Amino acid sequence: MSTTRVTARPRPRLHRRLPPVIGLLMLSPVCAEYLIGYDSNVGRPLVLLGGLLVLAPLYGAVALLIRETARRTGRGWPTILLLALAFGIVQAGLVDQSLFNPDYRNIDYWDDMRDPTLIEGIGVSADMGLTFLLGHTVWSFTAPIALVEALAPRELARRPWLGWFGTSVVALLYLAAAYLVFDDHLATEGFVASPGQIGGAATATALLVLVALALPRRRADGTAASPCGAPAPWLVGGLTLLVALGTSWFLPPTWPGIAAELGALAGLGALIWAWSRREGWSGRHVVLVAGAPLVLNGLTSFAVQPLGEPVAPLLKYGSNAFFALLVIGLIAWGYARGARDPHRSGAGRVLMDGAAPQASVEGGGG
């Protein structure tokens, strides 16, 4: 009978782990809020920089908590996606409550977006709910996680970056930011979701977290990849961009539009899942899949009219260009570094998608 020796791997020093932590804290709010350029603060760099004091804990802390939970428990992207969706419900349903608000921020066209698919019994627009939750899942959390992992040192990409002390600090920062945002929206909007809406959102969040943590851990001795080769990274990224473009720009906010969007996203997800099990799937594929929706938002920002007071065109388009070029530059950098990942077969395939092998454990620390 053979036994597997369990060895403890020393945690990399803080100066190695801190850059990706800070990177994710900053990139997540940029992708969630600043990239699309919908707020009147666009073009005001000092205000945007100051806004990170709240937005970094509100979005970046969540992205860190999601990533740490998945990587520390030895789970991969399915868990990350489900946890991101759960926190999307928290953000839109419990924190700013835009999911339920019938007159959010006095936006003139709010009813036009909300009414066609409004579910009267629960006070939720199906189309807007899908938009909010998909936006948080992809743009706020999952895409920034994938991009920062691609830019992290190879030995850190799939390992935890925080100890229990650091994780606790990040969690407290998030709770403080969430309370500030909730209190601000309560004061400015004068709206509070009903107990049934809050209970439903909390229940859905809990169920998603339970499912995410019930998924099997990745194993170091996983089955071999399919002998079929994965498509070229540019092809996978291009298809992702086309699907994101079609579902975001061309489908109406109606029930048939929602059905078409869900079908397109499900089909894309199934293809990516199947391709990721093939030989040749690498970090470059992951970077382009994650980067495609970010590029789309960067391009869309030039057509978005900011809410509130008008913004000078030079300031608006200058800000749009800055954030779009920033994201494109990070994607290009991550793509170049993605060549370092081995083609995925056997243990290499599992290690790329999951965490450390089960035969090793992480050290403690802060």
Side-chain angles (χ1 to χ4, degrees):
M1 181 178 64
S2 61
T3 59
T4 301
R5 181 182 178 185
V6 179
T7 59
R9 296 190 301 170
R11 182 181 299 277
R13 292 184 179 275
L14 181 62
H15 75 274
R16 297 281 288 170
R17 294 182 282 121
L18 199 55
V21 169
I22 295 175
L24 188 52
L25 274 173
M26 297 296 107
L27 183 61
S28 181
V30 165
C31 295
E33 296 280 344
Y34 295 167
L35 182 60
I36 193 65
Y38 73 90
D39 194 83
S40 59
N41 288 328
V42 62
R44 302 169 64 185
L46 293 180
V47 176
L48 295 177
L49 187 62
L52 290 176
L53 293 176
V54 174
L55 296 180
L58 185 67
Y59 292 107
V62 172
L64 277 170
L65 292 172
I66 290 170
R67 185 202 173 274
E68 291 299 297
T69 299
R71 297 314 186 193
R72 186 172 293 280
T73 60
R75 293 177 172 87
W77 288 109
T79 290
I80 289 175
L81 284 166
L82 287 174
L83 291 176
L85 178 57
F87 270 102
I89 295 175
V90 171
Q91 301 285 66
L94 301 179
V95 178
D96 65 31
Q97 300 189 3
S98 55
L99 187 63
F100 305 116
N101 196 331
D103 190 27
Y104 187 67
R105 295 185 65 170
N106 296 315
I107 298 174
D108 295 336
Y109 49 85
W110 191 256
D111 289 344
D112 296 333
M113 298 188 300
R114 184 172 185 265
D115 290 349
T117 58
L118 179 63
I119 305 172
E120 294 287 352
I122 58 176
V124 174
S125 164
D127 180 72
M128 294 179 71
L130 179 60
T131 299
F132 290 157
L133 300 183
L134 186 64
H136 282 307
T137 300
V138 176
W139 283 276
S140 299
F141 306 132
T142 307
I145 289 171
L147 195 51
V148 173
E149 283 195 342
L151 298 174
R154 183 172 181 177
E155 68 273 14
L156 291 177
R158 303 299 181 265
R159 296 178 63 183
W161 297 336
L162 298 172
W164 294 114
F165 176 77
T167 302
S168 300
V169 170
V170 168
L172 290 174
L173 287 174
Y174 168 68
L175 292 175
Y179 173 77
L180 288 175
V181 171
F182 172 80
D183 188 62
D184 177 70
H185 279 275
L186 180 61
T188 58
E189 300 287 332
F191 171 83
V192 178
S194 70
Q197 289 172 329
I198 293 174
T203 300
T205 299
L207 290 174
L208 284 168
V209 171
L210 289 175
V211 172
L213 297 181
L215 294 178
R217 291 180 171 86
R218 307 295 298 177
R219 297 183 62 84
D221 56 350
T223 58
S226 166
C228 300
W234 66 266
L235 182 60
V236 179
L239 178 62
T240 304
L241 180 60
L242 285 176
V243 172
L245 176 65
T247 55
S248 298
W249 285 13
F250 299 109
L251 292 179
T254 60
W255 288 108
I258 291 175
E261 182 172 1
L262 289 174
L265 294 175
L268 176 64
L271 280 175
I272 291 174
W273 176 258
W275 287 337
S276 71
R277 319 321 295 168
R278 294 185 178 185
E279 291 286 354
W281 183 269
S282 70
R284 287 183 164 181
H285 292 84
V286 177
V287 167
L288 292 189
V289 168
L294 299 180
V295 170
L296 176 63
N297 264 13
L299 297 176
T300 303
S301 68
F302 291 92
V304 170
Q305 293 301 315
L307 300 173
E309 298 180 0
V311 180
L314 181 61
L315 295 177
K316 168 185 159 46
Y317 294 124
S319 179
N320 297 154
F322 172 80
F323 287 113
L325 290 174
L326 171 66
V327 167
I328 291 172
L330 292 176
I331 293 169
W333 184 16
Y335 183 84
R337 289 175 65 88
R340 66 190 177 171
D341 282 330
H343 290 318
R344 294 175 62 185
S345 60
R349 178 174 66 86
V350 173
L351 285 173
M352 180 182 166
D353 190 46
Q358 296 302 305
S360 66
V361 297
E362 296 290 344

